[in-house]
Amino acid sequence: MRIFVAGASGVLGIRLTPMLIAAECVVAGMTRTPEKAGMLAELGAEPVVCDVFDAAALERAVREFGPDMVMHQLTDLPDRAEDLPAGRSANARMRREGTANLIAAAQAAGAKRFLAQSIAWETGGEGQAAQEFLEQEVLGIGGVVLRYGQFYGPGTYYPEGENQPEPPRIHVDEAAARTVLALDLASGIYAVTDDGATDFEPVR
């Protein structure tokens, strides 16, 4: 399977990309940071430097790769947890405009499958509205939504073993491993959490 991973250099993407390649997928890893292209190449992906908000460039990039699946693992979150309140608007824009652009590019490229990252908890306000928009748009094209619990583990806001977020949560390595197992799911919403089933019973 040829998979275009948007957000391949993120905390989940850097774990997911080599797992997909180990599963014999051909992966294009998209990042908006040129300095991260070399890292993605070292992981075995074809690096793509592109900003999801540049709709024309994004469409060209996805068309050129010709994926079977487009995977939306994009977020726009600050490096520090204490800065999250100030970053909500940027992440909401990613969920709305970024999602719309990525879906349009996937459709233009003729990708048959679309999988997107969502969350398993409610945020309220603008963030929740943007999350609901993402899920509705993905389901509207027959895609798959994975509602991840809060990530913990190296590179996350909760890097230490004793310091875990409140449920719903999931270790970021386990989240990546389960994403690989989700490639052939039927359209729907599925929970990916520590306390959830591992056989992907749909949430709805």
Short mmCIF file of all heavy atoms in Angstrom, two decimals, residues 123-171:
data_model
loop_
_atom_site.label_atom_id
_atom_site.label_comp_id
_atom_site.label_asym_id
_atom_site.label_seq_id
_atom_site.Cartn_x
_atom_site.Cartn_y
_atom_site.Cartn_z
N THR A 123 -13.04 18.76 24.32
CA THR A 123 -12.24 19.93 24.67
C THR A 123 -13.10 21.17 24.91
O THR A 123 -12.68 22.10 25.57
CB THR A 123 -11.23 20.25 23.54
OG1 THR A 123 -11.96 20.51 22.33
CG2 THR A 123 -10.29 19.09 23.33
N GLY A 124 -14.31 21.19 24.34
CA GLY A 124 -15.19 22.34 24.50
C GLY A 124 -14.85 23.47 23.55
O GLY A 124 -13.73 23.56 23.03
N GLY A 125 -15.81 24.31 23.30
CA GLY A 125 -15.60 25.52 22.53
C GLY A 125 -15.13 25.29 21.11
O GLY A 125 -15.53 24.34 20.43
N GLU A 126 -14.23 26.17 20.66
CA GLU A 126 -13.73 26.15 19.29
C GLU A 126 -13.03 24.84 18.97
O GLU A 126 -13.17 24.29 17.87
CB GLU A 126 -12.76 27.32 19.09
CG GLU A 126 -12.17 27.41 17.69
CD GLU A 126 -11.14 28.52 17.57
OE1 GLU A 126 -10.64 28.99 18.61
OE2 GLU A 126 -10.82 28.90 16.43
N GLY A 127 -12.27 24.31 19.93
CA GLY A 127 -11.55 23.07 19.69
C GLY A 127 -12.47 21.90 19.43
O GLY A 127 -12.24 21.08 18.53
N GLN A 128 -13.54 21.80 20.21
CA GLN A 128 -14.48 20.71 20.02
C GLN A 128 -15.23 20.84 18.70
O GLN A 128 -15.44 19.85 17.98
CB GLN A 128 -15.48 20.67 21.18
CG GLN A 128 -16.36 19.43 21.19
CD GLN A 128 -15.58 18.15 21.42
OE1 GLN A 128 -14.54 18.16 22.06
NE2 GLN A 128 -16.07 17.04 20.89
N ALA A 129 -15.60 22.06 18.34
CA ALA A 129 -16.28 22.28 17.06
C ALA A 129 -15.39 21.89 15.89
O ALA A 129 -15.85 21.27 14.92
CB ALA A 129 -16.70 23.75 16.95
N ALA A 130 -14.10 22.23 15.98
CA ALA A 130 -13.18 21.88 14.92
C ALA A 130 -12.98 20.37 14.83
O ALA A 130 -12.87 19.79 13.74
CB ALA A 130 -11.83 22.57 15.15
N GLN A 131 -12.96 19.71 16.00
CA GLN A 131 -12.80 18.26 16.01
C GLN A 131 -14.03 17.59 15.37
O GLN A 131 -13.91 16.63 14.61
CB GLN A 131 -12.63 17.77 17.45
CG GLN A 131 -11.93 16.44 17.57
CD GLN A 131 -10.47 16.54 17.11
OE1 GLN A 131 -9.82 17.57 17.31
NE2 GLN A 131 -9.98 15.51 16.49
N GLU A 132 -15.20 18.09 15.70
CA GLU A 132 -16.43 17.54 15.11
C GLU A 132 -16.45 17.77 13.60
O GLU A 132 -16.90 16.91 12.84
CB GLU A 132 -17.64 18.18 15.79
CG GLU A 132 -17.81 17.73 17.23
CD GLU A 132 -18.84 18.53 18.00
OE1 GLU A 132 -19.42 19.48 17.40
OE2 GLU A 132 -19.07 18.23 19.19
N PHE A 133 -15.96 18.93 13.15
CA PHE A 133 -15.86 19.20 11.72
C PHE A 133 -14.97 18.15 11.05
O PHE A 133 -15.33 17.59 10.01
CB PHE A 133 -15.29 20.61 11.50
CG PHE A 133 -14.96 20.90 10.06
CD1 PHE A 133 -15.92 21.40 9.19
CD2 PHE A 133 -13.67 20.68 9.57
CE1 PHE A 133 -15.62 21.67 7.86
CE2 PHE A 133 -13.36 20.95 8.24
CZ PHE A 133 -14.34 21.45 7.39
N LEU A 134 -13.79 17.91 11.64
CA LEU A 134 -12.86 16.93 11.08
C LEU A 134 -13.54 15.57 10.93
O LEU A 134 -13.48 14.93 9.87
CB LEU A 134 -11.63 16.81 11.98
CG LEU A 134 -10.56 15.79 11.59
CD1 LEU A 134 -9.17 16.24 12.05
CD2 LEU A 134 -10.83 14.40 12.18
N GLU A 135 -14.17 15.11 11.99
CA GLU A 135 -14.78 13.78 11.96
C GLU A 135 -15.89 13.70 10.91
O GLU A 135 -15.99 12.71 10.17
CB GLU A 135 -15.31 13.42 13.34
CG GLU A 135 -14.19 13.25 14.37
CD GLU A 135 -14.68 12.71 15.70
OE1 GLU A 135 -15.91 12.57 15.88
OE2 GLU A 135 -13.83 12.43 16.57
N GLN A 136 -16.73 14.72 10.85
CA GLN A 136 -17.83 14.71 9.87
C GLN A 136 -17.30 14.69 8.44
O GLN A 136 -17.82 13.97 7.58
CB GLN A 136 -18.71 15.93 10.10
CG GLN A 136 -19.51 15.87 11.39
CD GLN A 136 -20.13 17.20 11.77
OE1 GLN A 136 -20.03 18.18 11.03
NE2 GLN A 136 -20.78 17.25 12.92
N GLU A 137 -16.26 15.48 8.18
CA GLU A 137 -15.69 15.54 6.83
C GLU A 137 -15.06 14.21 6.43
O GLU A 137 -15.21 13.76 5.29
CB GLU A 137 -14.67 16.68 6.74
CG GLU A 137 -15.24 18.07 6.88
CD GLU A 137 -16.21 18.40 5.76
OE1 GLU A 137 -15.80 18.38 4.59
OE2 GLU A 137 -17.40 18.67 6.07
N VAL A 138 -14.36 13.60 7.35
CA VAL A 138 -13.70 12.32 7.04
C VAL A 138 -14.74 11.22 6.82
O VAL A 138 -14.65 10.45 5.86
CB VAL A 138 -12.71 11.94 8.16
CG1 VAL A 138 -12.17 10.53 7.95
CG2 VAL A 138 -11.56 12.95 8.21
N LEU A 139 -15.74 11.17 7.68
CA LEU A 139 -16.80 10.17 7.48
C LEU A 139 -17.57 10.44 6.19
O LEU A 139 -18.03 9.50 5.53
CB LEU A 139 -17.75 10.17 8.67
CG LEU A 139 -17.18 9.70 10.01
CD1 LEU A 139 -18.25 9.78 11.10
CD2 LEU A 139 -16.63 8.29 9.92
N GLY A 140 -17.67 11.70 5.82
CA GLY A 140 -18.40 12.07 4.61
C GLY A 140 -17.78 11.54 3.33
O GLY A 140 -18.46 11.40 2.31
N ILE A 141 -16.48 11.23 3.36
CA ILE A 141 -15.82 10.65 2.18
C ILE A 141 -15.53 9.16 2.38
O ILE A 141 -14.75 8.57 1.63
CB ILE A 141 -14.52 11.40 1.82
CG1 ILE A 141 -13.51 11.33 2.98
CG2 ILE A 141 -14.81 12.84 1.45
CD1 ILE A 141 -12.10 11.74 2.56
N GLY A 142 -16.17 8.57 3.39
CA GLY A 142 -15.97 7.14 3.64
C GLY A 142 -14.65 6.82 4.30
O GLY A 142 -14.12 5.71 4.16
N GLY A 143 -14.11 7.77 5.07
CA GLY A 143 -12.83 7.58 5.73
C GLY A 143 -12.95 6.99 7.12
O GLY A 143 -14.04 6.70 7.62
N VAL A 144 -11.80 6.82 7.75
CA VAL A 144 -11.68 6.24 9.08
C VAL A 144 -11.17 7.30 10.05
O VAL A 144 -10.20 8.02 9.75
CB VAL A 144 -10.72 5.03 9.08
CG1 VAL A 144 -10.40 4.56 10.49
CG2 VAL A 144 -11.30 3.90 8.25
N VAL A 145 -11.80 7.41 11.21
CA VAL A 145 -11.38 8.32 12.27
C VAL A 145 -10.90 7.50 13.45
O VAL A 145 -11.61 6.61 13.94
CB VAL A 145 -12.54 9.24 12.71
CG1 VAL A 145 -12.13 10.07 13.92
CG2 VAL A 145 -13.00 10.13 11.57
N LEU A 146 -9.67 7.77 13.91
CA LEU A 146 -9.15 7.13 15.11
C LEU A 146 -9.13 8.16 16.23
O LEU A 146 -8.43 9.17 16.15
CB LEU A 146 -7.73 6.59 14.87
CG LEU A 146 -7.58 5.49 13.82
CD1 LEU A 146 -6.13 4.99 13.80
CD2 LEU A 146 -8.53 4.33 14.07
N ARG A 147 -9.92 7.89 17.27
CA ARG A 147 -9.94 8.77 18.44
C ARG A 147 -8.89 8.27 19.44
O ARG A 147 -9.13 7.35 20.20
CB ARG A 147 -11.32 8.77 19.08
CG ARG A 147 -12.36 9.57 18.32
CD ARG A 147 -13.69 9.54 19.06
NE ARG A 147 -14.71 10.33 18.39
CZ ARG A 147 -15.99 10.34 18.74
NH1 ARG A 147 -16.40 9.57 19.76
NH2 ARG A 147 -16.87 11.08 18.08
N TYR A 148 -7.74 8.93 19.44
CA TYR A 148 -6.67 8.54 20.35
C TYR A 148 -6.90 9.13 21.73
O TYR A 148 -7.38 10.26 21.88
CB TYR A 148 -5.32 9.06 19.83
CG TYR A 148 -4.87 8.50 18.51
CD1 TYR A 148 -5.09 9.21 17.33
CD2 TYR A 148 -4.21 7.28 18.43
CE1 TYR A 148 -4.66 8.72 16.11
CE2 TYR A 148 -3.78 6.78 17.22
CZ TYR A 148 -4.01 7.50 16.05
OH TYR A 148 -3.59 7.01 14.84
N GLY A 149 -6.51 8.36 22.75
CA GLY A 149 -6.43 8.92 24.09
C GLY A 149 -5.26 9.89 24.18
O GLY A 149 -4.47 10.02 23.23
N GLN A 150 -5.13 10.56 25.31
CA GLN A 150 -4.00 11.46 25.49
C GLN A 150 -2.70 10.66 25.46
O GLN A 150 -2.57 9.65 26.14
CB GLN A 150 -4.10 12.20 26.82
CG GLN A 150 -5.30 13.14 26.92
CD GLN A 150 -5.25 13.96 28.17
OE1 GLN A 150 -4.51 14.95 28.26
NE2 GLN A 150 -6.03 13.57 29.16
N PHE A 151 -1.75 11.14 24.67
CA PHE A 151 -0.48 10.42 24.55
C PHE A 151 0.38 10.61 25.80
O PHE A 151 0.44 11.70 26.37
CB PHE A 151 0.31 10.93 23.34
CG PHE A 151 -0.32 10.63 22.01
CD1 PHE A 151 -0.14 11.49 20.93
CD2 PHE A 151 -1.09 9.50 21.82
CE1 PHE A 151 -0.70 11.23 19.70
CE2 PHE A 151 -1.67 9.22 20.59
CZ PHE A 151 -1.47 10.09 19.52
N TYR A 152 1.07 9.53 26.17
CA TYR A 152 2.14 9.64 27.15
C TYR A 152 3.31 8.79 26.67
O TYR A 152 3.16 7.92 25.81
CB TYR A 152 1.68 9.23 28.55
CG TYR A 152 1.25 7.78 28.72
CD1 TYR A 152 2.13 6.81 29.17
CD2 TYR A 152 -0.07 7.39 28.44
CE1 TYR A 152 1.73 5.48 29.33
CE2 TYR A 152 -0.47 6.07 28.60
CZ TYR A 152 0.43 5.13 29.04
OH TYR A 152 0.03 3.82 29.20
N GLY A 153 4.50 9.08 27.20
CA GLY A 153 5.71 8.42 26.74
C GLY A 153 6.69 9.44 26.21
O GLY A 153 6.39 10.64 26.14
N PRO A 154 7.89 9.02 25.82
CA PRO A 154 8.94 9.95 25.38
C PRO A 154 8.47 10.87 24.25
O PRO A 154 7.82 10.44 23.30
CB PRO A 154 10.04 9.01 24.88
CG PRO A 154 9.84 7.74 25.64
CD PRO A 154 8.35 7.62 25.81
N GLY A 155 8.78 12.15 24.42
CA GLY A 155 8.44 13.13 23.40
C GLY A 155 7.07 13.75 23.55
O GLY A 155 6.70 14.65 22.79
N THR A 156 6.28 13.28 24.53
CA THR A 156 4.93 13.81 24.74
C THR A 156 4.92 14.78 25.92
O THR A 156 5.95 15.03 26.55
CB THR A 156 3.93 12.67 25.02
OG1 THR A 156 4.17 12.16 26.34
CG2 THR A 156 4.09 11.54 24.02
N TYR A 157 3.75 15.31 26.25
CA TYR A 157 3.63 16.17 27.42
C TYR A 157 3.79 15.38 28.72
O TYR A 157 3.93 15.98 29.78
CB TYR A 157 2.27 16.87 27.43
CG TYR A 157 2.05 17.87 26.32
CD1 TYR A 157 0.82 17.95 25.67
CD2 TYR A 157 3.05 18.75 25.92
CE1 TYR A 157 0.61 18.88 24.66
CE2 TYR A 157 2.84 19.67 24.91
CZ TYR A 157 1.62 19.72 24.27
OH TYR A 157 1.41 20.65 23.27
N TYR A 158 3.73 14.07 28.64
CA TYR A 158 3.84 13.20 29.81
C TYR A 158 4.93 12.16 29.56
O TYR A 158 4.66 10.99 29.33
CB TYR A 158 2.50 12.51 30.09
CG TYR A 158 1.36 13.46 30.30
CD1 TYR A 158 0.56 13.87 29.23
CD2 TYR A 158 1.08 13.98 31.56
CE1 TYR A 158 -0.49 14.76 29.41
CE2 TYR A 158 0.03 14.87 31.75
CZ TYR A 158 -0.75 15.26 30.67
OH TYR A 158 -1.79 16.13 30.85
N PRO A 159 6.22 12.57 29.62
CA PRO A 159 7.30 11.68 29.20
C PRO A 159 7.70 10.63 30.24
O PRO A 159 8.31 9.63 29.88
CB PRO A 159 8.46 12.65 28.95
CG PRO A 159 8.19 13.81 29.86
CD PRO A 159 6.69 13.94 29.89
N GLU A 160 7.38 10.85 31.49
CA GLU A 160 7.85 9.93 32.53
C GLU A 160 6.81 8.86 32.83
O GLU A 160 5.61 9.10 32.78
CB GLU A 160 8.16 10.72 33.82
CG GLU A 160 9.19 11.82 33.64
CD GLU A 160 10.53 11.31 33.18
OE1 GLU A 160 10.88 10.17 33.54
OE2 GLU A 160 11.23 12.02 32.44
N GLY A 161 7.29 7.68 33.20
CA GLY A 161 6.40 6.55 33.47
C GLY A 161 5.41 6.80 34.59
O GLY A 161 4.28 6.33 34.55
N GLU A 162 5.83 7.55 35.60
CA GLU A 162 4.96 7.81 36.74
C GLU A 162 3.99 8.97 36.47
O GLU A 162 3.02 9.15 37.19
CB GLU A 162 5.81 8.14 37.98
CG GLU A 162 6.71 7.01 38.43
CD GLU A 162 5.93 5.78 38.85
OE1 GLU A 162 4.88 5.94 39.50
OE2 GLU A 162 6.36 4.66 38.54
N ASN A 163 4.26 9.75 35.46
CA ASN A 163 3.47 10.94 35.17
C ASN A 163 2.59 10.67 33.96
O ASN A 163 3.00 10.85 32.82
CB ASN A 163 4.39 12.13 34.90
CG ASN A 163 3.63 13.39 34.60
OD1 ASN A 163 2.47 13.54 34.99
ND2 ASN A 163 4.25 14.31 33.89
N GLN A 164 1.37 10.21 34.21
CA GLN A 164 0.46 9.88 33.12
C GLN A 164 -0.76 10.79 33.15
O GLN A 164 -1.20 11.22 34.21
CB GLN A 164 0.01 8.42 33.22
CG GLN A 164 1.12 7.41 33.03
CD GLN A 164 0.61 5.99 33.04
OE1 GLN A 164 -0.58 5.75 33.20
NE2 GLN A 164 1.51 5.04 32.88
N PRO A 165 -1.31 11.09 31.98
CA PRO A 165 -2.52 11.92 31.93
C PRO A 165 -3.73 11.14 32.44
O PRO A 165 -3.70 9.91 32.55
CB PRO A 165 -2.65 12.24 30.45
CG PRO A 165 -2.03 11.06 29.76
CD PRO A 165 -0.88 10.65 30.64
N GLU A 166 -4.77 11.87 32.72
CA GLU A 166 -6.02 11.23 33.09
C GLU A 166 -6.57 10.45 31.88
O GLU A 166 -6.35 10.84 30.74
CB GLU A 166 -7.04 12.28 33.52
CG GLU A 166 -6.70 12.97 34.83
CD GLU A 166 -6.71 12.01 35.99
OE1 GLU A 166 -7.64 11.18 36.07
OE2 GLU A 166 -5.78 12.08 36.82
N PRO A 167 -7.30 9.35 32.12
CA PRO A 167 -7.94 8.65 31.00
C PRO A 167 -8.96 9.57 30.33
O PRO A 167 -9.49 10.48 30.98
CB PRO A 167 -8.64 7.46 31.68
CG PRO A 167 -7.94 7.31 32.99
CD PRO A 167 -7.52 8.69 33.40
N PRO A 168 -9.21 9.34 29.03
CA PRO A 168 -8.64 8.30 28.17
C PRO A 168 -7.21 8.64 27.75
O PRO A 168 -6.91 9.79 27.45
CB PRO A 168 -9.57 8.32 26.95
CG PRO A 168 -10.08 9.72 26.90
CD PRO A 168 -10.21 10.18 28.31
N ARG A 169 -6.35 7.65 27.76
CA ARG A 169 -4.95 7.86 27.43
C ARG A 169 -4.41 6.63 26.71
O ARG A 169 -5.04 5.57 26.70
CB ARG A 169 -4.14 8.10 28.70
CG ARG A 169 -4.15 6.92 29.67
CD ARG A 169 -3.51 7.26 30.99
NE ARG A 169 -3.59 6.14 31.91
CZ ARG A 169 -3.88 6.23 33.21
NH1 ARG A 169 -4.11 7.42 33.74
NH2 ARG A 169 -3.93 5.15 33.97
N ILE A 170 -3.22 6.78 26.12
CA ILE A 170 -2.55 5.66 25.48
C ILE A 170 -1.07 6.00 25.32
O ILE A 170 -0.72 7.15 25.03
CB ILE A 170 -3.19 5.31 24.11
CG1 ILE A 170 -2.61 4.00 23.58
CG2 ILE A 170 -3.03 6.45 23.11
CD1 ILE A 170 -3.41 3.37 22.47
N HIS A 171 -0.21 5.00 25.51
CA HIS A 171 1.21 5.21 25.26
C HIS A 171 1.40 5.46 23.78
O HIS A 171 0.81 4.79 22.94
CB HIS A 171 2.02 4.00 25.72
CG HIS A 171 3.49 4.27 25.79
ND1 HIS A 171 4.28 4.32 24.66
CD2 HIS A 171 4.30 4.52 26.85
CE1 HIS A 171 5.52 4.58 25.03
NE2 HIS A 171 5.56 4.71 26.35
#
